[in-house]
Amino acid sequence: MERTYVMVKPDGVQRGLVGEVIGRIERRGLKIIALRMNTISQDQAKKHYAEHVQKPFFKSLIDFITSGPSVSMVVEGKNAVAVMRAINGATNPVNASTGSIRGDLALDTGRNVVHASDSPESASREISIHFKDAEISEYSRIDEICIYE
Ligand code: IDP
Ligand code: MG
């Protein structure tokens, strides 16, 4: 089983889309093993988006992601990284498939509602920025027998 880090960004929280995002993750069969709402710090945000430090949109990205409450999750399941990226859709919502979160619910790259790690290595790095080990719950879901062959 793979783990990934998922965030409902401040725009998603403001638009009342937390339940919509969580519902899609749960219905797909992925398991939420950590969950929290908070306003992330500048320090966390800069670590989280370190790969974009040279980009022209870096400052506005950091300002936005720290502007208000967001919802952070650790999500576990078979191919969780790739599946979660597909659930979210392409970065620019104009290119995101209908049926994805961004393809159904967003219009602008800078207000694209959700984040998900882009590789297992990014996932473990991002999970450690946002969660302590003790905040992650290891448990079986009773429907796993129906979800996995
Ligand atoms: P991702 O969220 O799909 O992984 P990244 O390329 O890692 O996309 O970019 C991180 C976030 O930075 C995007 O989700 C988006 O909110 C923002 N972003 C990326 N490119 C641009 C841009 O060209 N203008 C404004 N914001 C951008
Ligand atoms: Mg990214």
Side-chain angles (χ1 to χ4, degrees), residues 54-76:
Q54 305 292 354
K55 305 271 173 65
F57 59 83
F58 184 71
K59 186 181 182 303
S60 63
L61 178 61
I62 298 304
D63 286 347
F64 180 65
I65 213 75
T66 59
S67 67
S70 54
V71 171
S72 280
M73 283 170 262
V74 181
V75 169
E76 187 177 81

Side-chain angles (χ1 to χ4, degrees), residues 87-138:
I87 289 172
N88 283 2
T91 304
N92 186 338
V94 74
N95 301 320
S97 304
T98 297
S100 68
I101 290 169
R102 290 162 172 172
D104 289 348
L105 303 170
L107 290 171
D108 217 356
T109 303
R111 297 289 184 274
N112 60 6
V113 182
V114 276
H115 167 87
S117 312
D118 63 9
S119 68
E121 295 70 33
S122 300
S124 57
R125 194 184 73 82
E126 292 170 6
I127 290 167
S128 71
I129 292 168
H130 297 280
F131 288 99
K132 301 180 188 123
D133 284 350
E135 294 176 302
I136 298 173
S137 297
E138 305 210 17

